[in-house]
Amino acid sequence: VMRFRPAILRRPLAGVLGVLSIVAVWNLHVGKADVSTVYKHNPDWRSATRFLVEELEREETGFPVFATTRSRALRYYHRDAVEHPTLPPPPPDPNEITIYYCASMRHAWVLPKVLEEGGFDHFYVIHNHVWSWRFSELMKAAQAVPGATLTDTRDFDHLTVHRFDVAPVDEGGS
């Protein structure tokens, strides 16, 4: 058994422990900034999807849905929904809910293009209140569609679904 002389080790060990204690206290209290956490509510995608599916069944025709935030939840709750996160957008499915993401104003051209190609008489815009990024720009683009009128708004927990009806635009000028 090896024996150490306490007098030789006592002072260096006390010094090392003292330095470690000071570093630990400094790290706990001084070295880290206070970081606040934010609880983000979960939007009620289930109820919003149920509403859209009921609209699909009532109308018996598909329609496009535009949003600024991607959420797999809409597709999760309605497996037949078609999702198009890429640009340029493919033609909409006339028999299904088709989801388009317009994350910036450079994507604002998607909305009129989809409506023109699909010949839809209505469409929906979803406002996710938890992630409202760029929603006002999408709403302006929706309101700028010729013949589009906001006809219904449904509120769910942290989500709002806006329905726009599109009247045929008289291009003959009569």
Side-chain angles (χ1 to χ4, degrees), residues 8 44 75 79 83 90 101 105 140 148 155 163 166 169:
I8 295 174
D44 188 4
R75 184 140 162 58
R79 300 257 182 224
E83 184 174 49
Y101 299 105
M105 277 315 291
K140 285 177 189 172
D155 289 316
R163 177 186 169 124
V166 182
V169 177

Side-chain angles (χ1 to χ4, degrees), residues 68-81:
T68 57
T69 56
R70 289 186 181 172
S71 175
R72 304 277 185 228
L74 187 60
R75 184 140 162 58
Y76 176 80
Y77 290 118
H78 183 60
R79 300 257 182 224
D80 293 333

Side-chain angles (χ1 to χ4, degrees), residues 9-88:
L9 296 177
R10 190 176 304 147
R11 286 187 182 167
L13 283 175
V16 168
L17 288 175
V19 168
L20 286 175
S21 297
I22 291 170
V23 169
V25 169
W26 177 80
N27 188 36
L28 287 174
H29 298 288
V30 180
K32 294 181 183 175
D34 188 22
V35 178
S36 63
T37 59
V38 177
Y39 171 75
K40 294 199 183 298
H41 299 280
N42 291 326
D44 188 4
W45 285 102
R46 182 179 304 193
S47 296
T49 303
R50 189 177 314 120
F51 166 72
L52 291 171
V53 169
E54 288 170 1
E55 290 288 291
L56 179 66
E57 291 168 354
R58 186 175 62 81
E59 297 283 338
E60 297 181 356
T61 182
F63 49 80
V65 174
F66 299 93
T68 57
T69 56
R70 289 186 181 172
S71 175
R72 304 277 185 228
L74 187 60
R75 184 140 162 58
Y76 176 80
Y77 290 118
H78 183 60
R79 300 257 182 224
D80 293 333
V82 181
E83 184 174 49
H84 294 299
T86 59
L87 296 175

